[in-house]
Amino acid sequence: MTSRGARTKQRLQYDDPDAVAKAEKRAVLKRAPAQRLVPLFAHLPQLEPLRPDATQVSFVETSGLHPRVVRLGQQLAHGVVQGGSARVVALLLALREMIADFEPTNSSSTLPPATDAAASMPVKVSDSGTESITETRRELERALNRHIQFLVDSRPLSIAMGNAVRFVKSRLGIQALAQSFLELQQQIINDIDAFIEERVVLALETIFDAGADRIRDGDVVMTYDASFLVESILLRAVQKHKRRFRVIVLDARPRHRGCALVHRLLQGGVAQCTYGLLQGAPMLVQEANLLLLGAEACFSNGAVLAAAGTASVASLAKQERIPVAVACESLKFSERVLIDSICLNELGNPDELTWGTWMRPNASQVGQNGGIQPPLGEDWRERYPNLKLLHLYYDVTPAEAVDALITEFGLIPPHGVAAVTLDMG
Amino acid sequence: MHEPSIRERVSKDVQPDSGSLVSTSTATNAGRAAPWTSVPSSEGACAAPTGTDGSSIFTQRKQSQLDVTYLLAAQAKPGQPHEVAGVPEPEFDVLTRFRSELARETPAAPAAVHVLTDLIRCSRSETIYGLELEVRRACDKMISYARSSELSVRAACELFVKFITRTSFDFPDFAECKMRLIQRGEHFRAMTDTCRERIAVFGEPFILQGSNILTHGGSRVVFSIIERAARMKRKQFRVVVVEGRGRHDAALSSGMTAKTLRFCCDVMRLGIQVTIIPDSAVPAAMEVIDIVLLGAEAIAESGAVINQVGSLGIALAAKTFNVQVFIAAESYKFVRIYPLTQRDISKTDSDHAPRSYRQMTRHEEIPKQLQFECPPSDLTPGSYIHLLITDLGVLTPAAVSEALMKMYH
């Protein structure tokens, strides 16, 4: 399948029973559907969270999977690896290792010296060589698909991860150039390395500098939720550009990632920090003169998919005429169009919402501690038959509320996403 | 058949009028020759403060300041200082050439490219690196000289240097590379010469018979559109020109800049009725205006337009009154900058620092403490602009980033 074809494929709609039945056959990791479905979001995967006491995926499910990929799947499902850039890099590294360790079943093509020497000289042998390579390539493709399916079952892939997977798959198609399977393997690994270097490492470096360059002495920069890009931009501005500015960190339930961000910023040398909750945003936003946000994905109509709550902060800033800049590398760009937060979203663990205060024990301890009970009770499913908890991860900020995207191509307007994706596609 | 003669007569009639307008407006400095007749606009802008502050010192300071930053940059990068010392100062005087290009009514950015092309032709460098270094130096000189069109000169220089790098990859042979660069420069020259004509062709249909057009800043591109509409299409319309008080050279006289005044005279010569209104009257006049037609100093990647101060106010008023705002600009004014606020484009020149209003106006009753300050240009966000009329065609503000991306990649 060409990369173009893959792009236009429709996402699986979970409210379509036929499609779901088909998908279940494909699924590597079998997971139970959620007991309490939220109706408007029935098209999104709503699965029972993997409970800590049930973390161990069965041996049957993981047989034939690379241990690195299995571990990554678990880490993704439990939120150990989270954040757009971290997930992509983890995915690429896991797939790289899986490809490097891949051993084809028919060993005929894994005699590199013989085929290599033969391939370069006579035509006949090289023909049979390419044939076996094609076969091995197909085998590798099947294995790759199975591994990726396992990761999808653990947690739906983000846009950036989808782009990365598409890249890896497209590299499989270059077998015409490779003389032997080992060579193909080596090429793919090199390509993945180059991809990480170019699209993530160097891209982020450029973004950090471009973003830090915008911050001047005396600025008040506001941010919402914890984004790795925003954090690095702020720290770069302090440490490399020696700027002095104030940061307002807005935070929200249930994750409260901003707390840790404030800690890291203060440790990193930011002179002044203010920590507030989303409820206080209308007041705090008046003090800021730049709103700097991270993103999960950007779409070709300029819409920005980011942590839930971003849209309200951005529209507040827009109302107060404060410039809104979103840091986002081009790997997170999608050529699709997104107009609302319903079509493409992700549902989190509803149990996280039952805790009223933010002083809750570690997520991995939920269920184990008998002492502390969340206000709604851990048994909310039984006690309140009509209660549905909706824990959405993302929301969509329309292009009108965003003034600039900070990308590795410099600052571009949100509508520029289309030009960039066309350029690279 | 009769019409042209009538028109000619009208324009002849108008000319003495424009002369009288000239004499009244520059009454305060009547001793000087009318600045628009002999001196080109940017030169005039440069020369204006001579009487008060001595601008020759100002230009010197700027240049020396630039040399310091250049040296600092060279110091920061190890290894470069040797090469800087190794390149002999070219005999080719960049600034003199640039000035003479500007005197020939060439817009600043093409003028810069002409100078760079000639520089390469005369250059005695024998390596690409030496050539690039020479070009970079020339660019810095011209950028610091260009003032109001600094941004477009900067963009043109940036593109030119980028092109040198790219050509040197494609043609490793130095002589061939040099030839290609000169060819490209000539090509650019040919392109820019016809720029305004193309914009006039694209922009002319927006001027309707009997409409009222408001303009500001005395843009030559706007004039070319008006000229085509009046001369080729024989349209009758009115032009309302905003005084544009605020520039330092303007504050000395009646308020109008030499550039605006020249614009008014030129339009009147076409037989078009011109009305000057003060800046404060813009919202009041907006009721009767059909379209607003402005030029630009630069167009940012976001589609925002940087133009002489006052443009933002006009755009705001136009938005409120539902009047369409068009910007006429050549595509070489597209610049890869991304200003988000007014602060991002403000220049920190001493020339624009606050100074005593009393000294500015020579009015003794004004308290000494009163300060006068005026930014040279302001930033109009793309959301206030309906269309950009460029030589690439009529674009929406959002299309600028795409056009820029095509140019740079």
Side-chain angles (χ1 to χ4, degrees), chain B residues 72-92:
Chain B
L72 283 178
Q75 264 177 0
K77 287 175 202 154
Q80 245 193 359
H82 306 290
E83 275 130 353
V84 170
V87 173
E89 190 66 39
E91 284 171 18
F92 186 83

Side-chain angles (χ1 to χ4, degrees), chain A residues 214 216-217 219 289-290 321 323-325 402-405 409-416 419-420 422-423, chain B residues 301-303 336-346 383-384 397-403 405-406 409:
Chain A
R214 305 297 300 190
R216 277 159 300 188
D217 283 334
D219 269 1
N289 56 11
L290 177 67
R321 299 283 184 275
V324 181
V402 178
D403 289 303
L405 298 178
F409 306 105
L411 273 75
I412 60 169
H415 290 288
V420 171
L422 277 183
D423 213 32
Chain B
E301 198 167 358
S302 52
R336 285 215 79 180
I337 52 170
Y338 208 106
L340 292 171
T341 57
Q342 298 295 328
R343 219 167 35 142
D344 293 337
I345 56 155
S346 68
S383 51
Y384 294 106
V400 174
S401 105
E402 207 172 317
M405 223 168 264
K406 268 184 209 152
H409 290 294

Side-chain angles (χ1 to χ4, degrees), chain A residues 4 29 82 147 188 196 234 301 314 332 336 342 376 384:
Chain A
R4 281 273 160 188
L29 179 65
Q82 58 174 346
H147 282 85
I188 295 174
I196 295 176
L234 294 175
N301 60 338
K332 291 176 181 167
R336 297 170 6 144
I342 299 171
L376 271 177
Y384 313 105

Side-chain angles (χ1 to χ4, degrees), chain B residues 345-364:
Chain B
I345 56 155
S346 68
K347 293 167 195 157
T348 47
D349 285 357
S350 64
D351 199 35
H352 306 117
R355 33 167 117 169
S356 169
Y357 191 53
R358 181 186 193 168
Q359 192 193 344
M360 292 290 305
T361 53
R362 311 237 175 107
H363 204 302
E364 290 303 316

Side-chain angles (χ1 to χ4, degrees), chain A residues 238-395:
Chain A
V238 172
Q239 289 162 359
K240 190 173 160 200
H241 299 246
K242 303 286 176 221
R243 303 274 154 78
R244 291 184 61 79
F245 53 92
R246 197 179 131 210
V247 179
I248 301 175
V249 178
L250 286 179
D251 209 354
R253 289 193 62 218
R255 296 248 156 137
H256 291 289
R257 277 179 294 216
C259 257
L261 175 67
V262 170
H263 172 74
R264 289 194 297 269
L265 287 179
L266 289 171
Q267 291 281 307
V270 173
Q272 257 187 310
C273 270
T274 308
Y275 177 79
L277 290 180
L278 194 55
Q279 300 92 294
M283 197 194 73
L284 283 170
V285 82
Q286 293 171 359
E287 297 173 23
N289 56 11
L290 177 67
L291 178 63
L292 194 57
L293 297 167
E296 175 69 20
C298 293
F299 295 83
S300 56
N301 60 338
V304 173
L305 187 76
T310 302
S312 48
V313 181
S315 57
L316 271 175
K318 170 91 182 161
Q319 198 184 331
E320 297 288 332
R321 299 283 184 275
I322 292 160
V324 181
V326 175
C328 183
E329 66 264 42
S330 68
L331 186 54
K332 291 176 181 167
F333 286 2
S334 167
E335 61 185 29
R336 297 170 6 144
V337 166
L338 194 63
I339 48 174
D340 58 29
S341 319
I342 299 171
C343 290
L344 186 74
N345 214 318
E346 209 180 322
L347 292 170
N349 183 356
D351 288 324
E352 282 181 29
L353 293 183
T354 58
W355 293 87
T357 66
W358 61 277
M359 290 178 294
R360 62 181 181 83
N362 190 352
S364 63
Q365 291 167 3
V366 179
Q368 282 174 346
N369 54 2
I372 314 164
Q373 272 284 317
L376 271 177
E378 270 177 38
D379 53 347
W380 59 272
R381 287 185 181 79
E382 290 82 49
R383 277 166 66 190
Y384 313 105
N386 291 329
L387 178 65
K388 278 161 186 154
L389 294 178
L390 177 63
H391 181 191
L392 279 177
Y393 278 168
Y394 308 119
D395 66 11

